[in-house]
Short mmCIF file of all heavy atoms in Angstrom, two decimals:
data_model
loop_
_atom_site.label_atom_id
_atom_site.label_comp_id
_atom_site.label_asym_id
_atom_site.label_seq_id
_atom_site.Cartn_x
_atom_site.Cartn_y
_atom_site.Cartn_z
N MET A 256 0.85 -1.20 0.00
CA MET A 256 0.00 0.00 0.00
C MET A 256 0.88 1.24 0.00
O MET A 256 1.95 1.24 0.59
CB MET A 256 -0.90 0.02 1.26
CG MET A 256 -1.99 -1.04 1.23
SD MET A 256 -3.17 -0.77 2.53
CE MET A 256 -2.15 -1.07 3.96
N PRO A 257 0.41 2.27 -0.66
CA PRO A 257 1.20 3.50 -0.70
C PRO A 257 1.14 4.25 0.63
O PRO A 257 0.15 4.18 1.36
CB PRO A 257 0.52 4.31 -1.80
CG PRO A 257 -0.89 3.81 -1.84
CD PRO A 257 -0.82 2.35 -1.44
N LEU A 258 2.22 4.94 0.89
CA LEU A 258 2.29 5.75 2.10
C LEU A 258 2.07 7.22 1.73
O LEU A 258 2.77 7.75 0.87
CB LEU A 258 3.66 5.57 2.76
CG LEU A 258 3.92 6.42 4.00
CD1 LEU A 258 3.03 6.00 5.15
CD2 LEU A 258 5.39 6.31 4.40
N TYR A 259 1.12 7.83 2.37
CA TYR A 259 0.84 9.23 2.09
C TYR A 259 1.05 10.07 3.34
O TYR A 259 0.89 9.58 4.47
CB TYR A 259 -0.60 9.42 1.61
CG TYR A 259 -0.85 8.85 0.23
CD1 TYR A 259 -1.56 7.67 0.07
CD2 TYR A 259 -0.38 9.50 -0.90
CE1 TYR A 259 -1.79 7.14 -1.18
CE2 TYR A 259 -0.60 8.99 -2.16
CZ TYR A 259 -1.31 7.80 -2.30
OH TYR A 259 -1.54 7.28 -3.54
N GLU A 260 1.39 11.32 3.11
CA GLU A 260 1.54 12.24 4.23
C GLU A 260 0.32 13.14 4.27
O GLU A 260 -0.11 13.68 3.25
CB GLU A 260 2.82 13.08 4.07
CG GLU A 260 3.09 13.98 5.26
CD GLU A 260 4.45 14.65 5.15
OE1 GLU A 260 4.99 14.74 4.04
OE2 GLU A 260 4.96 15.09 6.19
N TYR A 261 -0.20 13.31 5.46
CA TYR A 261 -1.38 14.13 5.63
C TYR A 261 -1.11 15.26 6.61
O TYR A 261 -0.22 15.19 7.44
CB TYR A 261 -2.54 13.29 6.19
CG TYR A 261 -3.12 12.31 5.19
CD1 TYR A 261 -2.53 11.07 5.01
CD2 TYR A 261 -4.25 12.63 4.46
CE1 TYR A 261 -3.05 10.16 4.10
CE2 TYR A 261 -4.78 11.73 3.55
CZ TYR A 261 -4.18 10.50 3.37
OH TYR A 261 -4.70 9.61 2.47
N ARG A 262 -1.94 16.30 6.49
CA ARG A 262 -1.88 17.37 7.46
C ARG A 262 -3.31 17.64 7.93
O ARG A 262 -4.24 17.73 7.14
CB ARG A 262 -1.30 18.64 6.85
CG ARG A 262 -1.19 19.79 7.85
CD ARG A 262 -0.51 21.00 7.24
NE ARG A 262 -1.28 21.50 6.10
CZ ARG A 262 -0.79 22.31 5.17
NH1 ARG A 262 0.46 22.67 5.22
NH2 ARG A 262 -1.54 22.73 4.19
N CYS A 263 -3.44 17.80 9.23
CA CYS A 263 -4.74 18.07 9.81
C CYS A 263 -5.06 19.56 9.71
O CYS A 263 -4.26 20.41 10.08
CB CYS A 263 -4.75 17.63 11.27
SG CYS A 263 -6.29 18.04 12.11
N ALA A 264 -6.26 19.87 9.19
CA ALA A 264 -6.65 21.27 9.03
C ALA A 264 -7.06 21.88 10.36
O ALA A 264 -7.13 23.09 10.50
CB ALA A 264 -7.80 21.37 8.03
N ASP A 265 -7.34 21.05 11.33
CA ASP A 265 -7.80 21.57 12.62
C ASP A 265 -6.64 21.87 13.56
O ASP A 265 -6.56 22.94 14.13
CB ASP A 265 -8.75 20.57 13.27
CG ASP A 265 -10.17 20.72 12.73
OD1 ASP A 265 -10.44 21.74 12.05
OD2 ASP A 265 -10.99 19.83 12.97
N CYS A 266 -5.74 20.90 13.74
CA CYS A 266 -4.67 21.10 14.71
C CYS A 266 -3.30 21.25 14.05
O CYS A 266 -2.33 21.57 14.70
CB CYS A 266 -4.64 19.95 15.74
SG CYS A 266 -4.02 18.39 15.07
N GLY A 267 -3.25 21.05 12.74
CA GLY A 267 -2.01 21.27 12.03
C GLY A 267 -1.02 20.12 12.12
O GLY A 267 0.10 20.22 11.63
N ALA A 268 -1.43 19.02 12.72
CA ALA A 268 -0.52 17.89 12.86
C ALA A 268 -0.24 17.26 11.49
O ALA A 268 -1.11 17.18 10.63
CB ALA A 268 -1.14 16.84 13.78
N LYS A 269 1.00 16.85 11.30
CA LYS A 269 1.35 16.12 10.08
C LYS A 269 1.63 14.68 10.46
O LYS A 269 2.28 14.41 11.47
CB LYS A 269 2.58 16.75 9.42
CG LYS A 269 2.28 18.13 8.85
CD LYS A 269 3.55 18.79 8.33
CE LYS A 269 4.13 18.04 7.14
NZ LYS A 269 5.33 18.73 6.60
N PHE A 270 1.14 13.77 9.63
CA PHE A 270 1.33 12.36 9.94
C PHE A 270 1.33 11.56 8.65
O PHE A 270 0.80 11.99 7.62
CB PHE A 270 0.24 11.87 10.89
CG PHE A 270 -1.16 12.08 10.37
CD1 PHE A 270 -1.83 11.05 9.73
CD2 PHE A 270 -1.79 13.30 10.53
CE1 PHE A 270 -3.13 11.23 9.25
CE2 PHE A 270 -3.09 13.50 10.05
CZ PHE A 270 -3.76 12.47 9.42
N ASP A 271 1.95 10.40 8.72
CA ASP A 271 1.97 9.50 7.57
C ASP A 271 0.93 8.41 7.77
O ASP A 271 0.71 7.96 8.89
CB ASP A 271 3.35 8.86 7.42
CG ASP A 271 4.42 9.90 7.13
OD1 ASP A 271 4.12 10.86 6.40
OD2 ASP A 271 5.53 9.75 7.64
N GLU A 272 0.32 8.01 6.68
CA GLU A 272 -0.71 6.99 6.79
C GLU A 272 -0.62 6.06 5.59
O GLU A 272 -0.48 6.50 4.45
CB GLU A 272 -2.09 7.67 6.83
CG GLU A 272 -3.22 6.73 7.14
CD GLU A 272 -3.28 6.37 8.61
OE1 GLU A 272 -2.73 7.11 9.43
OE2 GLU A 272 -3.90 5.35 8.94
N LEU A 273 -0.67 4.78 5.88
CA LEU A 273 -0.75 3.81 4.80
C LEU A 273 -2.21 3.63 4.42
O LEU A 273 -3.03 3.31 5.26
CB LEU A 273 -0.18 2.46 5.26
CG LEU A 273 1.35 2.35 5.26
CD1 LEU A 273 1.76 1.07 5.96
CD2 LEU A 273 1.89 2.35 3.84
N VAL A 274 -2.53 3.90 3.17
CA VAL A 274 -3.91 3.79 2.76
C VAL A 274 -4.03 2.88 1.54
O VAL A 274 -3.12 2.78 0.72
CB VAL A 274 -4.50 5.18 2.41
CG1 VAL A 274 -4.55 6.06 3.65
CG2 VAL A 274 -3.69 5.85 1.31
N ALA A 275 -5.18 2.24 1.43
CA ALA A 275 -5.40 1.34 0.31
C ALA A 275 -5.74 2.12 -0.95
O ALA A 275 -5.49 1.67 -2.05
CB ALA A 275 -6.52 0.36 0.64
N SER A 276 -6.32 3.29 -0.75
CA SER A 276 -6.73 4.10 -1.89
C SER A 276 -6.33 5.55 -1.66
O SER A 276 -6.38 6.04 -0.54
CB SER A 276 -8.24 4.02 -2.07
OG SER A 276 -8.67 5.05 -2.95
N ALA A 277 -5.95 6.23 -2.72
CA ALA A 277 -5.54 7.63 -2.61
C ALA A 277 -6.71 8.51 -2.20
O ALA A 277 -6.52 9.62 -1.71
CB ALA A 277 -4.96 8.11 -3.92
N ASP A 278 -7.91 8.02 -2.40
CA ASP A 278 -9.08 8.81 -2.07
C ASP A 278 -9.61 8.52 -0.67
O ASP A 278 -10.60 9.08 -0.23
CB ASP A 278 -10.20 8.52 -3.08
CG ASP A 278 -9.82 8.99 -4.48
OD1 ASP A 278 -9.13 10.02 -4.59
OD2 ASP A 278 -10.22 8.33 -5.45
N GLU A 279 -8.91 7.63 0.01
CA GLU A 279 -9.38 7.24 1.33
C GLU A 279 -9.26 8.38 2.33
O GLU A 279 -8.27 9.10 2.35
CB GLU A 279 -8.56 6.05 1.83
CG GLU A 279 -9.04 5.51 3.17
CD GLU A 279 -8.35 4.20 3.50
OE1 GLU A 279 -8.11 3.43 2.55
OE2 GLU A 279 -8.05 3.96 4.66
N LYS A 280 -10.29 8.55 3.13
CA LYS A 280 -10.28 9.59 4.14
C LYS A 280 -9.65 9.04 5.42
O LYS A 280 -9.96 7.93 5.84
CB LYS A 280 -11.70 10.07 4.45
CG LYS A 280 -12.41 10.64 3.24
CD LYS A 280 -11.70 11.88 2.71
CE LYS A 280 -12.47 12.47 1.53
NZ LYS A 280 -11.78 13.63 0.95
N VAL A 281 -8.78 9.83 6.00
CA VAL A 281 -8.15 9.40 7.23
C VAL A 281 -8.42 10.44 8.32
O VAL A 281 -8.57 11.63 8.03
CB VAL A 281 -6.64 9.21 7.05
CG1 VAL A 281 -6.36 8.16 5.99
CG2 VAL A 281 -5.97 10.51 6.69
N ALA A 282 -8.47 9.97 9.54
CA ALA A 282 -8.72 10.87 10.65
C ALA A 282 -7.41 11.25 11.32
O ALA A 282 -6.47 10.47 11.35
CB ALA A 282 -9.65 10.20 11.67
N CYS A 283 -7.36 12.47 11.85
CA CYS A 283 -6.18 12.92 12.54
C CYS A 283 -5.95 12.08 13.80
O CYS A 283 -6.87 11.88 14.57
CB CYS A 283 -6.37 14.39 12.93
SG CYS A 283 -5.05 15.02 13.97
N PRO A 284 -4.73 11.57 13.97
CA PRO A 284 -4.44 10.74 15.14
C PRO A 284 -4.43 11.53 16.43
O PRO A 284 -4.50 10.96 17.52
CB PRO A 284 -3.06 10.15 14.82
CG PRO A 284 -2.45 11.13 13.88
CD PRO A 284 -3.58 11.71 13.08
N LYS A 285 -4.32 12.84 16.33
CA LYS A 285 -4.26 13.66 17.54
C LYS A 285 -5.63 14.14 18.00
O LYS A 285 -5.98 14.03 19.17
CB LYS A 285 -3.35 14.87 17.31
CG LYS A 285 -1.88 14.50 17.29
CD LYS A 285 -1.01 15.76 17.31
CE LYS A 285 0.47 15.39 17.42
NZ LYS A 285 1.33 16.59 17.50
N CYS A 286 -6.39 14.70 17.06
CA CYS A 286 -7.68 15.29 17.45
C CYS A 286 -8.86 14.57 16.82
O CYS A 286 -10.00 14.96 17.03
CB CYS A 286 -7.69 16.79 17.12
SG CYS A 286 -7.78 17.13 15.34
N GLN A 287 -8.58 13.53 16.06
CA GLN A 287 -9.63 12.72 15.43
C GLN A 287 -10.42 13.48 14.39
O GLN A 287 -11.47 13.03 13.94
CB GLN A 287 -10.59 12.14 16.50
CG GLN A 287 -9.91 11.56 17.73
CD GLN A 287 -8.84 10.54 17.36
OE1 GLN A 287 -9.06 9.71 16.49
NE2 GLN A 287 -7.70 10.59 18.01
N SER A 288 -9.96 14.63 14.00
CA SER A 288 -10.68 15.38 12.97
C SER A 288 -10.58 14.67 11.63
O SER A 288 -9.57 14.05 11.32
CB SER A 288 -10.08 16.78 12.85
OG SER A 288 -10.62 17.43 11.71
N SER A 289 -11.64 14.77 10.86
CA SER A 289 -11.62 14.18 9.51
C SER A 289 -11.20 15.22 8.48
O SER A 289 -11.14 14.92 7.29
CB SER A 289 -13.00 13.62 9.17
OG SER A 289 -13.97 14.64 9.21
N LYS A 290 -10.94 16.42 8.95
CA LYS A 290 -10.54 17.48 8.02
C LYS A 290 -9.03 17.42 7.78
O LYS A 290 -8.27 18.28 8.20
CB LYS A 290 -10.96 18.86 8.53
CG LYS A 290 -12.47 19.04 8.51
CD LYS A 290 -12.87 20.49 8.68
CE LYS A 290 -12.51 21.00 10.06
NZ LYS A 290 -13.01 22.39 10.24
N THR A 291 -8.62 16.37 7.10
CA THR A 291 -7.20 16.20 6.81
C THR A 291 -6.99 16.34 5.31
O THR A 291 -7.86 16.00 4.51
CB THR A 291 -6.71 14.82 7.25
OG1 THR A 291 -7.52 13.82 6.67
CG2 THR A 291 -6.76 14.71 8.77
N GLU A 292 -5.84 16.85 4.95
CA GLU A 292 -5.55 16.98 3.53
C GLU A 292 -4.29 16.19 3.20
O GLU A 292 -3.33 16.17 3.97
CB GLU A 292 -5.38 18.44 3.13
CG GLU A 292 -4.28 19.15 3.87
CD GLU A 292 -4.11 20.58 3.37
OE1 GLU A 292 -4.07 20.76 2.15
OE2 GLU A 292 -4.02 21.50 4.20
N LYS A 293 -4.33 15.55 2.07
CA LYS A 293 -3.20 14.73 1.65
C LYS A 293 -2.13 15.61 1.04
O LYS A 293 -2.39 16.42 0.16
CB LYS A 293 -3.66 13.67 0.65
CG LYS A 293 -2.57 12.74 0.20
CD LYS A 293 -3.15 11.45 -0.39
CE LYS A 293 -4.01 11.68 -1.60
NZ LYS A 293 -3.22 12.16 -2.76
N LEU A 294 -0.93 15.46 1.51
CA LEU A 294 0.18 16.21 0.95
C LEU A 294 0.81 15.39 -0.17
O LEU A 294 0.43 14.25 -0.42
CB LEU A 294 1.21 16.50 2.05
CG LEU A 294 0.65 17.22 3.27
CD1 LEU A 294 1.75 17.42 4.30
CD2 LEU A 294 0.05 18.56 2.89
N LEU A 295 1.77 15.95 -0.81
CA LEU A 295 2.45 15.23 -1.87
C LEU A 295 3.11 13.98 -1.31
O LEU A 295 3.69 14.01 -0.23
CB LEU A 295 3.51 16.11 -2.52
CG LEU A 295 2.97 17.29 -3.33
CD1 LEU A 295 4.13 18.14 -3.83
CD2 LEU A 295 2.17 16.81 -4.52
N SER A 296 3.04 12.91 -2.06
CA SER A 296 3.71 11.70 -1.63
C SER A 296 5.22 11.89 -1.73
O SER A 296 5.71 12.81 -2.38
CB SER A 296 3.27 10.53 -2.49
OG SER A 296 3.85 10.64 -3.77
N VAL A 297 5.93 10.99 -1.12
CA VAL A 297 7.39 11.06 -1.17
C VAL A 297 7.88 10.99 -2.61
O VAL A 297 8.79 11.67 -3.01
CB VAL A 297 8.01 9.93 -0.35
CG1 VAL A 297 9.53 9.91 -0.51
CG2 VAL A 297 7.64 10.07 1.12
N PHE A 298 7.20 10.17 -3.39
CA PHE A 298 7.61 9.98 -4.77
C PHE A 298 7.33 11.22 -5.59
O PHE A 298 8.14 11.66 -6.38
CB PHE A 298 6.90 8.77 -5.36
CG PHE A 298 7.14 7.52 -4.58
CD1 PHE A 298 6.17 7.02 -3.73
CD2 PHE A 298 8.36 6.87 -4.69
CE1 PHE A 298 6.40 5.87 -3.00
CE2 PHE A 298 8.59 5.72 -3.96
CZ PHE A 298 7.61 5.22 -3.11
N ALA A 299 6.14 11.79 -5.40
CA ALA A 299 5.77 12.98 -6.15
C ALA A 299 6.67 14.15 -5.76
O ALA A 299 7.01 14.98 -6.58
CB ALA A 299 4.31 13.33 -5.90
N ALA A 300 7.04 14.21 -4.48
CA ALA A 300 7.85 15.32 -4.00
C ALA A 300 9.26 15.26 -4.57
O ALA A 300 9.97 16.25 -4.59
CB ALA A 300 7.89 15.30 -2.48
N ALA A 301 9.65 14.07 -5.03
CA ALA A 301 10.99 13.92 -5.56
C ALA A 301 11.09 14.44 -6.99
O ALA A 301 12.17 14.62 -7.51
CB ALA A 301 11.41 12.45 -5.52
N VAL A 302 9.94 14.66 -7.59
CA VAL A 302 9.93 15.20 -8.95
C VAL A 302 10.17 16.70 -8.89
O VAL A 302 9.52 17.39 -8.12
CB VAL A 302 8.56 14.92 -9.63
CG1 VAL A 302 8.53 15.55 -11.02
CG2 VAL A 302 8.32 13.43 -9.71
N PRO A 303 11.11 17.20 -9.67
CA PRO A 303 11.40 18.63 -9.65
C PRO A 303 10.15 19.44 -9.99
O PRO A 303 9.46 19.13 -10.96
CB PRO A 303 12.46 18.80 -10.74
CG PRO A 303 13.07 17.45 -10.90
CD PRO A 303 11.99 16.47 -10.57
N SER A 304 9.88 20.45 -9.21
CA SER A 304 8.73 21.30 -9.47
C SER A 304 9.22 22.65 -9.95
O SER A 304 10.37 23.02 -9.74
CB SER A 304 7.88 21.44 -8.21
OG SER A 304 8.64 21.99 -7.18
N GLY A 305 8.31 23.38 -10.57
CA GLY A 305 8.72 24.63 -11.16
C GLY A 305 9.56 24.36 -12.38
O GLY A 305 9.55 23.25 -12.93
N ALA A 306 10.32 25.32 -12.84
CA ALA A 306 11.22 25.14 -13.98
C ALA A 306 10.52 24.51 -15.16
O ALA A 306 11.04 23.60 -15.80
CB ALA A 306 12.44 24.32 -13.56
N GLY A 307 9.33 24.94 -15.44
CA GLY A 307 8.65 24.50 -16.65
C GLY A 307 7.95 23.16 -16.52
O GLY A 307 7.24 22.76 -17.42
N ALA A 308 8.16 22.45 -15.43
CA ALA A 308 7.41 21.22 -15.24
C ALA A 308 5.96 21.61 -14.96
O ALA A 308 5.69 22.33 -14.04
CB ALA A 308 7.98 20.42 -14.08
N GLY A 309 5.06 21.15 -15.76
CA GLY A 309 3.72 21.65 -15.50
C GLY A 309 2.62 21.12 -16.38
O GLY A 309 2.21 20.00 -16.18
N ALA A 310 2.16 21.93 -17.26
CA ALA A 310 0.87 21.73 -17.91
C ALA A 310 0.68 20.32 -18.46
O ALA A 310 -0.38 19.75 -18.30
CB ALA A 310 0.71 22.72 -19.03
N GLU A 311 1.70 19.77 -19.04
CA GLU A 311 1.51 18.48 -19.69
C GLU A 311 1.28 17.37 -18.67
O GLU A 311 0.51 16.45 -18.91
CB GLU A 311 2.73 18.13 -20.54
CG GLU A 311 2.80 18.98 -21.81
CD GLU A 311 3.91 18.51 -22.74
OE1 GLU A 311 4.76 17.71 -22.29
OE2 GLU A 311 3.92 18.93 -23.87
N SER A 312 1.93 17.45 -17.55
CA SER A 312 1.79 16.38 -16.57
C SER A 312 0.67 16.66 -15.59
O SER A 312 0.39 15.86 -14.72
CB SER A 312 3.10 16.19 -15.80
OG SER A 312 3.42 17.37 -15.10
N CYS A 313 0.04 17.82 -15.72
CA CYS A 313 -1.02 18.17 -14.79
C CYS A 313 -2.36 17.73 -15.34
O CYS A 313 -2.83 18.25 -16.33
CB CYS A 313 -1.01 19.67 -14.55
SG CYS A 313 -2.29 20.20 -13.43
N ALA A 314 -2.95 16.76 -14.68
CA ALA A 314 -4.23 16.24 -15.15
C ALA A 314 -5.40 16.77 -14.34
O ALA A 314 -6.55 16.50 -14.65
CB ALA A 314 -4.21 14.72 -15.09
N ARG A 315 -5.10 17.52 -13.30
CA ARG A 315 -6.17 17.99 -12.44
C ARG A 315 -6.75 19.31 -12.97
O ARG A 315 -5.99 20.20 -13.33
CB ARG A 315 -5.67 18.23 -11.02
CG ARG A 315 -5.22 16.96 -10.33
CD ARG A 315 -4.76 17.26 -8.93
NE ARG A 315 -3.68 18.25 -8.94
CZ ARG A 315 -3.22 18.86 -7.85
NH1 ARG A 315 -3.76 18.61 -6.69
NH2 ARG A 315 -2.26 19.73 -7.93
N PRO A 316 -8.06 19.43 -13.00
CA PRO A 316 -8.66 20.69 -13.42
C PRO A 316 -8.34 21.79 -12.43
O PRO A 316 -8.34 21.57 -11.22
CB PRO A 316 -10.16 20.39 -13.45
CG PRO A 316 -10.34 19.23 -12.51
CD PRO A 316 -9.06 18.43 -12.63
N GLY A 317 -8.01 22.94 -12.93
CA GLY A 317 -7.80 24.09 -12.04
C GLY A 317 -6.36 24.34 -11.71
O GLY A 317 -6.02 25.42 -11.25
N CYS A 318 -5.48 23.36 -11.94
CA CYS A 318 -4.10 23.58 -11.56
C CYS A 318 -3.28 24.11 -12.73
O CYS A 318 -2.11 24.35 -12.63
CB CYS A 318 -3.47 22.33 -10.97
SG CYS A 318 -3.07 21.09 -12.19
N GLY A 319 -3.96 24.29 -13.86
CA GLY A 319 -3.25 24.82 -15.02
C GLY A 319 -3.59 26.27 -15.27
O GLY A 319 -3.72 26.69 -16.39
N SER A 320 -3.73 27.04 -14.21
CA SER A 320 -4.09 28.44 -14.38
C SER A 320 -3.03 29.15 -15.20
O SER A 320 -1.83 28.97 -14.98
CB SER A 320 -4.24 29.11 -13.02
OG SER A 320 -3.04 29.00 -12.29
N GLY A 321 -3.47 29.93 -16.16
CA GLY A 321 -2.53 30.59 -17.04
C GLY A 321 -2.32 29.79 -18.31
O GLY A 321 -1.76 30.27 -19.26
N PHE A 322 -2.78 28.58 -18.31
CA PHE A 322 -2.69 27.74 -19.50
C PHE A 322 -4.05 27.70 -20.17
O PHE A 322 -5.00 27.22 -19.58
CB PHE A 322 -2.24 26.33 -19.11
CG PHE A 322 -2.18 25.38 -20.30
CD1 PHE A 322 -1.10 25.42 -21.16
CD2 PHE A 322 -3.19 24.48 -20.50
CE1 PHE A 322 -1.05 24.54 -22.24
CE2 PHE A 322 -3.14 23.61 -21.58
CZ PHE A 322 -2.05 23.65 -22.45
N SER A 323 -4.14 28.20 -21.37
CA SER A 323 -5.44 28.25 -22.01
C SER A 323 -5.44 27.47 -23.32
O SER A 323 -4.46 27.46 -24.02
CB SER A 323 -5.85 29.70 -22.28
OG SER A 323 -4.89 30.34 -23.07
ZN1 ZN B 128 -5.82 17.18 14.24
#
């Protein structure tokens, strides 16, 4: 299973979680809040960002601002 890093929107805690699906919701281990956001995975973070890396590899709507 992939390991993802999450951050809690309520208490700001960062934690790693093994999840079966990237869309799986996880609760904060500190405050049990479900308002957690998935950060970039270790693998994704290893990809150079900026420097022209962008539009072609971006499949998410809204992240290609400035690209028309
Ligand atoms: Zn929390």
